[in-house]
Amino acid sequence: MKLYDFNYFYEFECEYEALKNSKSDVLELCHKMIEFIQEKLKELGKWLKNHIFSTIQEEIQFFKELKPKMVSKIIYHQQLLKIEGSLPPTKKKKKKHYEKELVKLYEYGMSNKEFYEYYRSKGSYKDEEYFVRKQYKNLWDNCSHLISDSKLCTSHDFILATFIANEILEGYLEKKLEELNGNHLINNSLLNSNLNWTASKVDLVELIYALQLSGAINAGNCDVKEIATYFGKMFNVDIEDNIYRAFIDIKSRKTIQTKFLNTITENLNRKMKEDEL
């Protein structure tokens, strides 16, 4: 296999997509996917042990773009197998189960915050530090049995693969929560507003959760995602895809968790006191 003969990776993606569409049972699919990707990674590992990259740029491209994308798929299916294999029977417990897994994804990002910010910003100034192989001691504790020595991985390519897998898993978990909540999206044509939300998106999420939990909308018999969709259309802001992650951010605040609600309450009280004067 040649690094810049992309047929290997293209063929892998084609086989992966075909296999993904061949099974309907999620647990059976995960087992098949893990077995398939393990074999492909073994082939890749044999090639990589004896390969010398022509340039630093080639090596960076391999460990930043090509290998993490493949490894992320086995990480995703391993995590999915664990999550769905331990899924509790009741709707309420299922929701808690999925929400707990979302928290884990957030915590992993925060435990690697500096590199996560680098990844999200699409940075490149530290690529040589992160994606070029070096000799390390005790570096591979987080690499699993698939990536076991410094000939096969850099300091951060496995972490990058985990970020990619976690983003896919986050979408899966949010979809499952929507299904459990019976979410129905609003038609885009129903709202056409000139009002714009000018506070932060997290502030709006805080307000939405407060309204939903207080029973102020449909006596609480509606999903936060449905409310978020409506508010998003009304205030011209897209928050549906980030609402669960934003709520985790709110819960993780070290000081005042309900910062926005406290602020608007203080502003209202101040206004009423001023009007009394």
mmCIF file of all heavy atoms in Angstrom, residues 2 13 15 48 59 74 87 109 126 129-130 136 147 168 170 195-196 201 224 239 247 251 267:
data_model
loop_
_atom_site.group_PDB
_atom_site.id
_atom_site.type_symbol
_atom_site.label_atom_id
_atom_site.label_comp_id
_atom_site.label_asym_id
_atom_site.label_seq_id
_atom_site.Cartn_x
_atom_site.Cartn_y
_atom_site.Cartn_z
ATOM 1 N N LYS A 2 0.524 2.197 -0.835
ATOM 2 C CA LYS A 2 1.236 3.461 -0.880
ATOM 3 C C LYS A 2 0.398 4.529 -0.189
ATOM 4 O O LYS A 2 -0.821 4.573 -0.347
ATOM 5 C CB LYS A 2 1.517 3.870 -2.323
ATOM 6 C CG LYS A 2 2.458 2.920 -3.061
ATOM 7 C CD LYS A 2 2.670 3.386 -4.481
ATOM 8 C CE LYS A 2 3.595 2.442 -5.226
ATOM 9 N NZ LYS A 2 3.793 2.864 -6.624
ATOM 10 N N GLU A 13 -13.689 2.758 2.911
ATOM 11 C CA GLU A 13 -14.927 3.503 3.136
ATOM 12 C C GLU A 13 -16.098 2.850 2.405
ATOM 13 O O GLU A 13 -17.211 2.783 2.943
ATOM 14 C CB GLU A 13 -14.771 4.958 2.667
ATOM 15 C CG GLU A 13 -13.825 5.795 3.519
ATOM 16 C CD GLU A 13 -14.360 6.059 4.927
ATOM 17 O OE1 GLU A 13 -15.590 5.940 5.143
ATOM 18 O OE2 GLU A 13 -13.540 6.381 5.810
ATOM 19 N N GLU A 15 -16.431 -0.367 1.576
ATOM 20 C CA GLU A 15 -16.757 -1.612 2.279
ATOM 21 C C GLU A 15 -17.469 -1.314 3.594
ATOM 22 O O GLU A 15 -18.414 -2.009 3.979
ATOM 23 C CB GLU A 15 -15.477 -2.418 2.539
ATOM 24 C CG GLU A 15 -14.844 -3.011 1.300
ATOM 25 C CD GLU A 15 -13.575 -3.784 1.629
ATOM 26 O OE1 GLU A 15 -13.666 -4.763 2.400
ATOM 27 O OE2 GLU A 15 -12.497 -3.392 1.146
ATOM 28 N N LEU A 48 2.658 0.121 8.193
ATOM 29 C CA LEU A 48 3.191 1.295 8.874
ATOM 30 C C LEU A 48 4.501 1.005 9.604
ATOM 31 O O LEU A 48 5.390 1.865 9.670
ATOM 32 C CB LEU A 48 2.148 1.816 9.867
ATOM 33 C CG LEU A 48 2.417 3.142 10.581
ATOM 34 C CD1 LEU A 48 2.668 4.248 9.571
ATOM 35 C CD2 LEU A 48 1.242 3.497 11.478
ATOM 36 N N GLU A 59 3.805 12.539 6.885
ATOM 37 C CA GLU A 59 3.544 11.867 8.154
ATOM 38 C C GLU A 59 2.402 12.545 8.909
ATOM 39 O O GLU A 59 1.527 11.884 9.476
ATOM 40 C CB GLU A 59 4.807 11.840 9.011
ATOM 41 C CG GLU A 59 4.657 11.021 10.280
ATOM 42 C CD GLU A 59 5.987 10.723 10.952
ATOM 43 O OE1 GLU A 59 7.039 11.171 10.442
ATOM 44 O OE2 GLU A 59 5.971 10.044 11.990
ATOM 45 N N ILE A 74 -13.829 2.307 14.704
ATOM 46 C CA ILE A 74 -13.860 1.177 15.634
ATOM 47 C C ILE A 74 -14.135 1.661 17.056
ATOM 48 O O ILE A 74 -14.828 1.000 17.828
ATOM 49 C CB ILE A 74 -12.560 0.342 15.559
ATOM 50 C CG1 ILE A 74 -12.790 -1.017 16.228
ATOM 51 C CG2 ILE A 74 -11.370 1.060 16.202
ATOM 52 C CD1 ILE A 74 -11.696 -2.020 15.954
ATOM 53 N N LEU A 87 -28.370 -1.205 27.760
ATOM 54 C CA LEU A 87 -29.541 -0.317 27.765
ATOM 55 C C LEU A 87 -30.623 -0.867 28.692
ATOM 56 O O LEU A 87 -31.050 -2.014 28.545
ATOM 57 C CB LEU A 87 -30.090 -0.187 26.346
ATOM 58 C CG LEU A 87 -31.177 0.858 26.113
ATOM 59 C CD1 LEU A 87 -30.622 2.264 26.320
ATOM 60 C CD2 LEU A 87 -31.754 0.720 24.709
ATOM 61 N N GLY A 109 -13.799 15.443 26.473
ATOM 62 C CA GLY A 109 -13.312 16.646 25.813
ATOM 63 C C GLY A 109 -12.657 17.597 26.789
ATOM 64 O O GLY A 109 -11.599 18.167 26.511
ATOM 65 N N LYS A 126 0.706 23.292 15.780
ATOM 66 C CA LYS A 126 1.321 22.277 16.636
ATOM 67 C C LYS A 126 1.296 20.891 15.993
ATOM 68 O O LYS A 126 1.519 19.891 16.671
ATOM 69 C CB LYS A 126 0.614 22.231 17.997
ATOM 70 C CG LYS A 126 0.964 23.378 18.919
ATOM 71 C CD LYS A 126 0.435 23.115 20.321
ATOM 72 C CE LYS A 126 0.907 24.187 21.294
ATOM 73 N NZ LYS A 126 0.442 23.901 22.684
ATOM 74 N N GLU A 129 4.236 18.612 16.578
ATOM 75 C CA GLU A 129 4.306 18.107 17.951
ATOM 76 C C GLU A 129 3.307 16.979 18.170
ATOM 77 O O GLU A 129 3.610 15.980 18.831
ATOM 78 C CB GLU A 129 4.019 19.247 18.930
ATOM 79 C CG GLU A 129 3.961 18.815 20.383
ATOM 80 C CD GLU A 129 3.563 19.958 21.302
ATOM 81 O OE1 GLU A 129 3.627 21.138 20.881
ATOM 82 O OE2 GLU A 129 3.157 19.663 22.452
ATOM 83 N N TYR A 130 2.111 17.119 17.602
ATOM 84 C CA TYR A 130 1.024 16.176 17.863
ATOM 85 C C TYR A 130 0.997 14.970 16.931
ATOM 86 O O TYR A 130 0.555 13.886 17.314
ATOM 87 C CB TYR A 130 -0.325 16.894 17.734
ATOM 88 C CG TYR A 130 -0.626 17.898 18.816
ATOM 89 C CD1 TYR A 130 -1.377 19.039 18.530
ATOM 90 C CD2 TYR A 130 -0.173 17.731 20.124
ATOM 91 C CE1 TYR A 130 -1.681 19.970 19.515
ATOM 92 C CE2 TYR A 130 -0.460 18.653 21.109
ATOM 93 C CZ TYR A 130 -1.216 19.776 20.805
ATOM 94 O OH TYR A 130 -1.511 20.701 21.784
ATOM 95 N N TYR A 136 8.517 7.554 23.145
ATOM 96 C CA TYR A 136 8.027 7.985 24.448
ATOM 97 C C TYR A 136 8.024 6.800 25.405
ATOM 98 O O TYR A 136 7.948 5.650 24.993
ATOM 99 C CB TYR A 136 6.596 8.527 24.351
ATOM 100 C CG TYR A 136 6.461 9.783 23.563
ATOM 101 C CD1 TYR A 136 6.079 9.741 22.218
ATOM 102 C CD2 TYR A 136 6.698 11.029 24.131
ATOM 103 C CE1 TYR A 136 5.940 10.906 21.482
ATOM 104 C CE2 TYR A 136 6.564 12.194 23.395
ATOM 105 C CZ TYR A 136 6.181 12.125 22.080
ATOM 106 O OH TYR A 136 6.053 13.271 21.353
ATOM 107 N N ILE A 147 -3.394 0.069 19.097
ATOM 108 C CA ILE A 147 -2.332 1.056 18.861
ATOM 109 C C ILE A 147 -1.377 0.948 20.034
ATOM 110 O O ILE A 147 -1.623 1.508 21.091
ATOM 111 C CB ILE A 147 -2.906 2.477 18.759
ATOM 112 C CG1 ILE A 147 -4.023 2.513 17.726
ATOM 113 C CG2 ILE A 147 -1.829 3.470 18.383
ATOM 114 C CD1 ILE A 147 -4.831 3.762 17.760
ATOM 115 N N ILE A 168 -19.662 11.675 16.465
ATOM 116 C CA ILE A 168 -20.657 10.823 15.811
ATOM 117 C C ILE A 168 -21.595 10.219 16.855
ATOM 118 O O ILE A 168 -22.820 10.181 16.677
ATOM 119 C CB ILE A 168 -19.968 9.705 15.002
ATOM 120 C CG1 ILE A 168 -19.030 10.297 13.955
ATOM 121 C CG2 ILE A 168 -21.008 8.806 14.331
ATOM 122 C CD1 ILE A 168 -18.128 9.280 13.284
ATOM 123 N N GLU A 170 -22.284 11.414 19.767
ATOM 124 C CA GLU A 170 -23.130 12.472 20.321
ATOM 125 C C GLU A 170 -24.389 12.651 19.473
ATOM 126 O O GLU A 170 -25.502 12.777 20.006
ATOM 127 C CB GLU A 170 -22.351 13.783 20.378
ATOM 128 C CG GLU A 170 -23.127 14.939 20.982
ATOM 129 C CD GLU A 170 -22.308 16.222 21.029
ATOM 130 O OE1 GLU A 170 -21.069 16.139 21.066
ATOM 131 O OE2 GLU A 170 -22.915 17.304 21.023
ATOM 132 N N LEU A 195 -37.094 39.229 14.892
ATOM 133 C CA LEU A 195 -36.459 39.305 16.204
ATOM 134 C C LEU A 195 -35.225 38.417 16.218
ATOM 135 O O LEU A 195 -35.252 37.282 15.738
ATOM 136 C CB LEU A 195 -37.437 38.849 17.291
ATOM 137 C CG LEU A 195 -38.728 39.667 17.424
ATOM 138 C CD1 LEU A 195 -39.642 39.020 18.451
ATOM 139 C CD2 LEU A 195 -38.410 41.102 17.827
ATOM 140 N N ASN A 196 -34.139 38.914 16.792
ATOM 141 C CA ASN A 196 -32.884 38.164 16.850
ATOM 142 C C ASN A 196 -32.435 38.000 18.296
ATOM 143 O O ASN A 196 -32.451 38.966 19.070
ATOM 144 C CB ASN A 196 -31.782 38.884 16.061
ATOM 145 C CG ASN A 196 -32.097 38.965 14.583
ATOM 146 O OD1 ASN A 196 -32.329 37.947 13.939
ATOM 147 N ND2 ASN A 196 -32.143 40.173 14.039
ATOM 148 N N LYS A 201 -26.039 31.618 23.080
ATOM 149 C CA LYS A 201 -26.874 30.433 22.856
ATOM 150 C C LYS A 201 -27.078 29.657 24.159
ATOM 151 O O LYS A 201 -28.156 29.108 24.397
ATOM 152 C CB LYS A 201 -26.235 29.536 21.799
ATOM 153 C CG LYS A 201 -26.261 30.112 20.397
ATOM 154 C CD LYS A 201 -25.670 29.133 19.389
ATOM 155 C CE LYS A 201 -25.698 29.702 17.980
ATOM 156 N NZ LYS A 201 -25.143 28.741 16.996
ATOM 157 N N VAL A 224 -37.553 19.506 25.374
ATOM 158 C CA VAL A 224 -36.742 20.719 25.257
ATOM 159 C C VAL A 224 -36.283 20.951 23.819
ATOM 160 O O VAL A 224 -36.136 22.090 23.379
ATOM 161 C CB VAL A 224 -35.521 20.687 26.201
ATOM 162 C CG1 VAL A 224 -35.937 20.791 27.647
ATOM 163 C CG2 VAL A 224 -34.686 19.430 25.977
ATOM 164 N N ILE A 239 -29.922 26.427 17.591
ATOM 165 C CA ILE A 239 -29.406 25.818 18.823
ATOM 166 C C ILE A 239 -29.810 24.355 18.976
ATOM 167 O O ILE A 239 -29.351 23.684 19.900
ATOM 168 C CB ILE A 239 -29.880 26.576 20.085
ATOM 169 C CG1 ILE A 239 -31.406 26.532 20.184
ATOM 170 C CG2 ILE A 239 -29.350 27.984 20.112
ATOM 171 C CD1 ILE A 239 -31.930 27.005 21.517
ATOM 172 N N PHE A 247 -26.531 22.255 27.876
ATOM 173 C CA PHE A 247 -27.079 22.009 29.214
ATOM 174 C C PHE A 247 -26.039 21.352 30.123
ATOM 175 O O PHE A 247 -25.962 21.642 31.322
ATOM 176 C CB PHE A 247 -28.331 21.135 29.130
ATOM 177 C CG PHE A 247 -29.044 20.967 30.445
ATOM 178 C CD1 PHE A 247 -29.503 22.073 31.156
ATOM 179 C CD2 PHE A 247 -29.254 19.703 30.986
ATOM 180 C CE1 PHE A 247 -30.165 21.929 32.367
ATOM 181 C CE2 PHE A 247 -29.910 19.551 32.194
ATOM 182 C CZ PHE A 247 -30.373 20.669 32.887
ATOM 183 N N LYS A 251 -24.698 22.747 33.735
ATOM 184 C CA LYS A 251 -24.624 21.946 34.964
ATOM 185 C C LYS A 251 -23.204 21.868 35.520
ATOM 186 O O LYS A 251 -23.009 21.645 36.706
ATOM 187 C CB LYS A 251 -25.151 20.531 34.709
ATOM 188 C CG LYS A 251 -26.643 20.463 34.441
ATOM 189 C CD LYS A 251 -27.174 19.042 34.560
ATOM 190 C CE LYS A 251 -26.602 18.149 33.505
ATOM 191 N NZ LYS A 251 -27.190 16.776 33.573
ATOM 192 N N ASN A 267 -32.464 42.142 36.898
ATOM 193 C CA ASN A 267 -32.814 43.289 36.055
ATOM 194 C C ASN A 267 -34.288 43.663 36.212
ATOM 195 O O ASN A 267 -34.639 44.855 36.268
ATOM 196 C CB ASN A 267 -32.522 42.978 34.589
ATOM 197 C CG ASN A 267 -31.035 42.902 34.300
ATOM 198 O OD1 ASN A 267 -30.222 43.396 35.079
ATOM 199 N ND2 ASN A 267 -30.670 42.279 33.202
#
